[in-house]
Amino acid sequence: MDAHPYAPKDLSLPGFVPNLLSATTILVVFAVATIIVVSLAWFVPARFSRITRMERILICWWVFTGLTHMIVEGYFVFSPEFFKNKTGCYLAEIWKEYSKGDSRYAERDPATVALEGITAVIEGPASILAAYAIARHKSFNYVLQLAISLGQLYGCVMYYTTAILRGDGFATSTYYYYAYYVAANSPWIVIPTLISIRSWKRICGAFDGRFKRKSY
């Protein structure tokens, strides 16, 4: 069994290759990529459509989360032996690093792979569609945002529940537990909750107005 930094220590990862990039490098590259994506999502739609500040913020979120789902999580789903990568591929390095907070990724836990697969294949493209729907003022944009947000919340609930049922002992240390396992996933709990509430109110408001008009 090749030595690895993950918990539990008896986890079998034959052929494991340690990270070639430092954690700082991985995080800096991700931060820079995020800034570029969010900046484009903020400025480009406004050149072609009249949108509010809140709509621009929502477009930024949906573009960011959609690309994260499709590219980062999609790589994990379709690269079962990323922990053996010797090329320094950035996406492989991300998952080698993140597995320090949750080794279920390195071991290819079936429940985790299934959740990430649904997220990458369905929620990723749907998020990009949501950004487009907001920018183009499509009538279905609130329903779509609500559906995706509820899917993300369900995914987070299942992600943590399955870990708890297996003993919740997949982090290398307390630092990685809170930095990766808790903090890195928290945006997909907080933001979808807020979007769900907003979308629910908008949908209900639209129907309330419709029914009130019909009552006269």
Side-chain angles (χ1 to χ4, degrees), residues 10-199:
D10 61 357
L11 177 65
S12 179
L13 293 176
F16 170 76
V17 176
N19 277 94
L20 300 178
L21 300 178
S22 68
T24 300
T25 300
I26 293 171
L27 294 175
V28 168
V29 171
F30 187 82
V32 170
T34 298
I35 291 171
I36 293 173
V37 167
V38 170
S39 297
L40 290 173
W42 177 268
F43 291 108
V44 173
R47 294 179 59 86
F48 303 98
S49 177
R50 292 174 62 87
I51 53 179
T52 66
R53 179 178 293 272
M54 178 54 68
E55 288 172 334
R56 293 172 82 172
I57 292 173
L58 288 170
I59 289 171
C60 288
W61 165 252
W62 288 121
V63 171
F64 163 74
T65 193
L67 292 178
T68 300
H69 289 334
M70 289 189 293
I71 297 174
V72 180
E73 292 168 273
Y75 176 86
F76 163 74
V77 173
F78 297 106
S79 302
E81 297 188 335
F82 69 85
F83 61 87
K84 297 180 181 180
N85 187 278
K86 301 178 181 180
T87 67
C89 171
Y90 177 72
L91 294 175
E93 295 291 291
I94 285 181
W95 289 112
K96 288 181 187 179
E97 180 65 20
Y98 182 78
S99 292
K100 295 175 183 177
D102 188 349
S103 64
R104 291 180 298 167
Y105 284 82
E107 73 166 320
R108 303 291 294 180
D109 171 63
T112 304
V113 175
L115 284 173
E116 293 290 6
I118 293 171
T119 300
V121 175
I122 298 178
E123 293 180 6
S127 296
I128 300 300
L129 179 60
Y132 168 79
I134 295 169
R136 303 301 296 174
H137 304 291
K138 298 296 182 180
S139 59
F140 59 83
N141 89 80
Y142 291 113
V143 174
L144 182 59
Q145 290 184 75
L146 178 60
I148 304 169
S149 295
L150 291 177
Q152 291 176 326
L153 288 171
Y154 174 79
C156 287
V157 170
M158 292 300 295
Y159 174 67
Y160 286 116
T161 301
T162 52
I164 292 171
L165 291 175
R166 287 191 58 190
D168 201 15
F170 306 102
T172 302
S173 68
T174 302
Y175 167 78
Y176 289 112
Y177 181 88
Y178 286 104
Y180 293 172
Y181 181 70
V182 176
N185 289 289
S186 61
W188 281 273
I189 297 175
V190 176
I191 298 177
T193 297
L194 296 176
I195 293 177
S196 295
I197 294 171
R198 181 176 185 270
S199 298

